[in-house]
Amino acid sequence: MAEAILSQALPLVLIACSLLPAVAVFLLSDAHSRARSIWTMAGATAKLIVLAIAMIGVQQGRLFAVELPIGPGMALSFRIDALALLFVSLSAVLWFVTTIYALAYLAGTPDQRRFFGFFNLCVASTSGIALAGTPLTFFVFYELLTLSTYPLVVHGGDRAALAAGRRYLRYTMAGSAAFLIGAVWLESMAGELSFGQAGQLAAHVLDDRAALTACFVLLVGGLAVKAAMMPFHGWLPNAMVAPAPVSALLHAVAVVKAGAFGILRVVLDLYGIELTTALGVALPLAIAASVTILGASMIALAQRGLKRRLAYSTVSQVSYIVLGVAMLGPVALAGGLVHLVHQGLMKITLFFCAGTLQKTLGIHEIDEMAGVGWRMPATMLAFSAGALGMVGTPPLAGFVSKWYLGIGAIESGQYWVVAVLAASSLLNAAYFLPILYAVWFRPPVHPWPDRDPGLAWRGAVWEAKPALVIPAVFTAAAAVGAGLFAAFAASPLQWAILIVEREYTLL
């Protein structure tokens, strides 16, 4: 009895850990900053504890699931499987460190109640997406994510922020409409669908091949907007007007990952490997991902603004996840799945550092970064680890992802993907290494301002607010550890392999 209650309660508790702080923060006045911080941090901490319980249970083979009726023949369905945990654990851990960072970054600024209310709501939406058991549930939280991130994108309130917000809404609402049409069309053919039942569409192959293909294009095309795949990526670089914690959230935790995760669910859980192969839609998807990987990297080379260069890097790197699943092989799939986590750790590190540079020294442009490594060594060491990881330098996390994708490409006979990965790494090096050279080996253009004496601690003066530096160092260390200890049982790579073995029985 108790086990049945736990099985049904756990998915709802995971979402409530973010949803309740969101409600509480909205109800508090702007003057209650301490209570706001306590609610947010308590929710983030509680979620990590609940997550640990769920991971132990799923590792032992348990499935946590529950349905909530919302109308005649309609229900919200939640399930915690290994794939859901991969995504929700990423969002939970990075939500915790991003909260610490955001509290320091936004200290003393107005409208914090609005910011942290929608910030927590955004994470709750991401959890709902990760745990969704049906396309209907996925769509509900996918839309909630759009509505909760819009106020964060326009948080600055100036003309640029409002324009970026309008563009964000235009893109994402169009993508949502495409996904909804595809999902409704698919259910009209096959009946009620749920994730985790690969092969449920197989009976319709002979009669509805064209319709199944069209639905696939609508579903994946709609999701590709949030995943920022070309040519649907235009909203992401413009959204860089948002504060650094929002950029970190968009690029590493929530929006782009929600799109990529949705594509994983469509290919693996709705259509399945066999049907995706039979319809011949995997190769076009792999080509689209490869074009995005290379095209976005080439555009990144021309960007002078640090956050815009990082944004195009995200456009490129998130498509590694799509490329991994599109190759339809077990090793490549493991590489794509683990990159969901690896990219998050590396990219949030880079955005934390970019925000700290902006907040502490007013640096926005890459040309302004010469010599800053010696002024802010901890921050720039973290930045260097994130950048080298993106390039694919051994033994960092990005290397592990690319290695598995490359081996997977060879095993599946798609040798051209190896050339894409090699060219991508060269482009990554071309737009990251000059930054690192300038940071560590070029003299500063102007003398840096002295460190703030107010940041003194035990005879030393911090290079910036500790709550801005420590999260970046933590995530950089995690990115290094994910690569260095990839063979350990608790590593993201081993969890990705567990998903492939258990959920899809491919290895």
Side-chain angles (χ1 to χ4, degrees):
M1 182 65 178
E3 186 170 332
I5 294 174
L6 177 66
S7 175
Q8 295 189 354
L10 214 57
L12 301 179
V13 172
L14 266 176
I15 297 173
C17 286
S18 309
L19 189 58
L20 289 179
V23 174
V25 169
F26 280 128
L27 293 176
L28 291 169
S29 71
D30 278 325
H32 291 91
S33 59
R34 183 178 176 82
R36 184 169 55 240
S37 302
I38 290 173
W39 267 103
T40 303
M41 290 305 302
T45 305
K47 193 166 189 174
L48 290 175
I49 295 170
V50 177
L51 184 67
I53 296 171
M55 292 191 81
I56 294 171
V58 170
Q59 197 163 32
Q60 292 172 347
R62 294 182 61 184
L63 176 67
F64 303 97
V66 64
E67 282 195 354
L68 298 177
I70 56 174
M74 298 176 66
L76 293 179
S77 172
F78 303 97
R79 64 196 300 271
I80 305 178
D81 58 15
L83 178 58
L85 271 181
L86 184 76
F87 188 26
V88 81
S89 60
L90 173 73
S91 75
V93 172
L94 296 189
W95 177 38
F96 185 87
V97 291
T98 305
T99 299
I100 295 171
Y101 185 90
L103 288 170
Y105 189 92
L106 296 170
T109 63
D111 302 320
Q112 290 196 41
R113 179 178 67 167
R114 183 183 69 195
F115 179 91
F116 282 103
F118 284 109
F119 181 80
N120 293 330
L121 192 57
C122 171
V123 179
S125 307
T126 306
S127 300
I129 289 170
L131 305 182
T134 63
L136 169 65
T137 309
F138 182 93
F139 179 75
V140 169
F141 283 90
Y142 200 64
E143 284 305 281
L144 188 59
L145 178 63
T146 298
L147 298 177
S148 59
T149 45
Y150 170 77
L152 299 177
V153 172
V154 303
H155 184 73
D158 55 21
R159 180 177 296 181
L162 295 175
R166 287 193 296 271
R167 192 179 180 97
Y168 173 66
L169 277 186
R170 283 199 300 272
Y171 273 77
T172 54
M173 297 302 281
S176 296
F179 179 88
L180 181 61
I181 294 170
V184 171
W185 190 359
L186 204 57
E187 292 219 358
S188 71
M189 288 190 293
E192 188 175 350
L193 299 170
S194 61
F195 297 137
Q197 296 183 15
Q200 58 196 309
L201 298 172
H204 301 270
V205 175
L206 294 178
D207 297 333
D208 302 310
R209 187 183 182 90
L212 285 174
T213 303
C215 288
F216 185 92
V217 172
L218 286 167
L219 291 167
V220 172
L223 294 164
V225 176
K226 272 199 172 71
M229 290 182 69
M230 288 182 163
F232 309 119
H233 66 287
W235 63 271
L236 188 58
N238 284 0
M240 291 305 93
V241 297
V246 178
S247 301
L249 202 66
L250 292 177
H251 288 255
V253 184
V255 180
V256 296
K257 291 298 174 56
F261 179 79
I263 293 173
L264 290 172
R265 282 294 196 200
V266 169
V267 173
L268 299 174
D269 285 334
L270 279 186
Y271 280 73
I273 300 294
E274 291 185 8
L275 181 56
T276 303
T277 304
L279 293 176
V281 292
L283 180 59
L285 182 59
I287 292 172
S290 299
V291 168
T292 303
I293 288 169
L294 297 179
S297 291
M298 287 188 278
I299 298 174
L301 280 169
Q303 305 304 311
R304 307 314 308 163
L306 178 58
K307 287 179 69 177
R308 285 187 68 85
R309 182 169 293 192
L310 296 181
Y312 279 103
S313 169
T314 296
V315 174
S316 172
Q317 291 277 336
V318 170
S319 278
Y320 279 102
I321 302 166
V322 180
L323 180 62
V325 70
M327 283 192 277
L328 300 180
V331 179
L333 177 57
L337 288 171
V338 77
H339 201 58
L340 189 84
V341 177
H342 288 171
Q343 188 272 347
L345 293 173
M346 296 182 293
K347 188 47 63 77
I348 205 166
T349 301
L350 294 171
F351 273 106
F352 280 162
C353 296
T356 304
L357 289 174
Q358 180 181 339
K359 198 75 174 175
T360 308
L361 299 175
I363 291 176
H364 295 81
E365 302 292 318
I366 293 170
D367 291 342
E368 299 171 326
M369 296 175 67
V372 75
W374 304 106
R375 170 61 177 79
M376 300 183 65
T379 301
M380 295 320 298
L381 280 172
F383 184 95
S384 301
L388 292 173
M390 287 291 181
V391 173
T393 307
L396 303 178
F399 168 75
V400 175
S401 301
K402 292 184 180 182
W403 179 265
Y404 269 74
L405 288 170
I407 296 295
I410 293 171
E411 286 194 353
S412 61
Q414 301 182 71
Y415 299 102
W416 61 274
V417 172
V418 179
V420 171
L421 295 172
S424 171
S425 292
L426 290 174
L427 288 167
N428 297 158
Y431 66 73
F432 272 126
L433 294 186
I435 297 177
L436 299 187
Y437 178 80
V439 161
W440 294 109
F441 298 107
R442 286 187 176 167
V445 178
H446 305 289
W448 300 114
D450 294 333
R451 296 186 176 192
D452 182 356
L455 299 176
W457 186 72
R458 292 192 175 182
V461 181
W462 283 77
E463 62 195 52
K465 288 182 179 179
L468 297 180
V469 177
I470 293 172
V473 172
F474 172 80
T475 52
V480 174
L484 201 59
F485 303 109
F488 280 32
S491 73
L493 175 64
Q494 296 306 316
W495 193 266
I497 291 174
L498 180 145
I499 293 170
V500 176
E501 289 177 334
R502 181 180 294 176
E503 302 290 331
Y504 308 108
T505 60
L506 289 172
L507 284 178

